[in-house]
Amino acid sequence: MTSRSSIDVALARRLVDAQFPQWSALPIAEVEVDGWDNRTFRLGSELTVRLPSGDWYAQQVDKEQRWLPVLAPQLPLPIPTPVAQGTPGAGYPYPWSVYRWLDGELASKARIDDLSAFAMTLAGFLNALRRADATDGPPPGEHNFFRGGPLSTYEQEALEALDALGDEVPRDAILRAWEDAMSSTWERDPVWVHGDVAAGNLLVRDGRLAAVLDFGSSGIGDPACDAVIAWTCLSGASRDRFRDELDVDAATWSRGRGWALWKALITLVGHLERDSPGAAAPRRDIEQVLADHARD
């Protein structure tokens, strides 16, 4: 993995100037909120430069360049539009991308006027994504951290995290929810999944969902992983609206709870090991999953 600190404005400038001299006069600046898998820089007013920070993330470049233009016309909201693909250079070892800039605020920071309407719009987007032609789409693998694959991929990791947490969490209730999630598998044809439907990958404009970002974890398979936002961002009426509008059955919803539990458990372990105040978020996610499971 390349050091994130070495992926800076100066590197982006060298790469753009060497490979795309038509944009050498455009200013490059850091974006306000950056991701971990990739570093993103604004190029002029209409473009972004996206540089993977490691080997696994670099596998996503060709996939996004290939599939985003295919998916975009089939979706009801804007998604990133690839403009160019860069190659390794200037001491940087990975392929990289230039995209169109999408306006909006991250949903985690923005004011959403109506969370239930937001949930309904997001469900409609995911329904349309699953209807997109999945022929020859990328199956689960390292490129997307096995999103769309069976939940069993992460069972050992989830149970080890549960053991490590001990009395920090309600073990019996978690095991019941986990066993329920593991009781089914996706037995239909694979469908497109985004793979990382999180507030930080959703743009809001004028109080409404305006665009969906970061398809690095996309692929084809079981759509359960795309339901995770129901417990990490939504609650109450907005979660009910999301479930009502999302075209999934009870078993897929349950597997979605399993994906949310896995992520919350391993994240909580990490925060407690670092004595981080961030532990409150995965604790809340676990509580939300368990309350939803109990209600079912």
Side-chain angles (χ1 to χ4, degrees), residues 105-186:
E105 300 175 273
L106 294 182
S108 56
K109 301 290 184 182
R111 179 177 178 270
I112 299 171
D113 286 346
D114 184 332
L115 197 56
S116 291
F118 174 90
M120 182 174 66
T121 303
L122 177 58
F125 176 89
L126 294 174
N127 290 339
L129 179 62
R130 287 198 302 278
R131 290 194 297 266
D133 186 0
T135 303
D136 297 327
E142 284 187 354
H143 69 93
N144 73 341
F145 303 94
F146 300 94
R147 298 300 196 275
L151 181 60
S152 58
T153 303
Y154 290 112
E155 181 172 34
Q156 182 176 349
E157 190 173 47
L159 295 179
E160 287 176 352
L162 182 58
D163 287 342
L165 289 168
D167 294 337
E168 292 282 349
V169 293
R171 178 182 178 86
D172 290 345
I174 288 173
L175 283 175
R176 286 193 295 271
W178 183 261
E179 289 166 2
D180 184 46
M182 286 290 295
S183 67
S184 68
T185 57
W186 181 254

Side-chain angles (χ1 to χ4, degrees), residues 24 70 78 104:
S24 60
V70 174

Side-chain angles (χ1 to χ4, degrees), residues 186-203:
W186 181 254
E187 296 178 350
R188 285 173 266 173
D189 290 337
V191 298
W192 275 101
V193 301
H194 178 276
D196 192 14
V197 184
N201 288 330
L202 302 173
L203 286 184

Side-chain angles (χ1 to χ4, degrees), residues 268 271-272 276-287:
L268 181 56
H271 281 304
L272 292 178
S276 165
R283 285 190 189 279
R284 175 200 168 277
D285 295 347
I286 291 170
E287 291 172 358

